[in-house]
Amino acid sequence: MEHITSDGRILVMTAVEGEREAVLRGLKGDTRFAVELAGVGAPSAAASTALALAAGGFRLVISAGIGGGFTHAAALESVVVADAIIAADLGAETADGFSSVDELGFGSSRIAVNTAASQRIVQALRAAGQTAVAGPILTVTTATGTSSTAELLARRVPGAAAEAMEGYGVAVAASKLGLPVMEIRTISNAVGPRDRAAWRIKEALQALEAAFSTLTEVI
């Protein structure tokens, strides 16, 4: 990712209105930020981000919202800051298993981020009292609903910390314009079997609000 400058505004893309409202509460009217809806899924996120960026004047793009956490890396209500944004299911099935578009020679399923900036944000969040980690955030087309798929993704991307559905789309749009990109997710559920009774959506949205309140002080 390119060096993050202080010139221009920051575009934050969330999938749904509830996430957008949480981010706006955290920002408390900070005019350096514009918060827009990406829609659900990478294709919608890419198109919506490109449209928002057409206005110009942005220096950084952030994909933000709630997501699933891999239990070995990210606890419920914690914050994950991406150190890589990866389209985890972009590729093809073969007789030997899954092959990414990288392995197929058709492009890249990975968007790099400024890992030093990610670590600075993690440290600031921890100093503010939140549980925060840096790690790969996976973009998937279908949210994981079984232990076997969770284990498969964890093997496919060692160190995977979270999954969501929009980050790669947002990142592709930003990278086409040479803009740095980040992804921030607060964890509402464990990646794996869909146990709605265990979900912490309200708490994850509160954590998202708190994270962006801290972010205004360090970015």
Side-chain angles (χ1 to χ4, degrees), residues 4 16 22 33 38 50 59 69 80 101 110 114 121 131 140 147-148 157 174-175 206 211:
I4 298 174
V16 298
F33 294 81
R59 65 181 173 92
V80 179
V101 291
R110 178 183 293 257
N114 185 323
I121 290 172
T131 301
V140 294
S147 296
S148 59
V157 183
S175 65
Q206 291 171 339

Side-chain angles (χ1 to χ4, degrees), residues 87-94 98-104 106 109 156:
D89 53 11
L90 184 60
E93 285 188 316
T94 73
F98 175 82
S99 290
S100 69
V101 291
D102 312 68
E103 295 165 324
L104 295 169
F106 296 147
S109 60
R156 188 177 295 169

Side-chain angles (χ1 to χ4, degrees), residues 103-123:
E103 295 165 324
L104 295 169
F106 296 147
S108 178
S109 60
R110 178 183 293 257
I111 303 289
V113 303
N114 185 323
T115 55
S118 296
Q119 286 293 345
R120 286 197 300 272
I121 290 172
V122 166
Q123 293 303 318

Side-chain angles (χ1 to χ4, degrees), residues 19 65-81 130-133 136-138 160-164 183-191 198-208 211:
E19 294 168 327
I66 65 176
F70 287 87
T71 54
H72 65 274
L76 295 181
E77 303 177 44
S78 66
V79 188
V80 179
V81 182
Q130 288 190 274
T131 301
V133 299
I137 298 181
L138 310 188
E163 76 165 23
E183 185 170 5
I184 298 172
R185 297 283 169 181
T186 54
I187 303 305
S188 60
N189 59 279
V191 176
W199 289 3
R200 307 268 183 85
I201 293 177
K202 178 182 177 181
E203 293 84 354
L205 289 171
Q206 291 171 339
L208 187 63

Side-chain angles (χ1 to χ4, degrees), residues 25-105:
R25 288 194 299 271
L27 293 174
K28 297 181 177 67
D30 192 323
T31 58
R32 295 175 299 158
F33 294 81
V35 188
E36 303 290 346
L37 289 176
V40 175
S44 177
S48 298
T49 303
L51 284 172
L53 289 172
F58 293 102
R59 65 181 173 92
L60 172 65
V61 182
I62 302 175
S63 176
I66 65 176
F70 287 87
T71 54
H72 65 274
L76 295 181
E77 303 177 44
S78 66
V79 188
V80 179
V81 182
D83 62 15
I85 299 171
I86 300 169
D89 53 11
L90 184 60
E93 285 188 316
T94 73
D96 297 319
F98 175 82
S99 290
S100 69
V101 291
D102 312 68
E103 295 165 324
L104 295 169

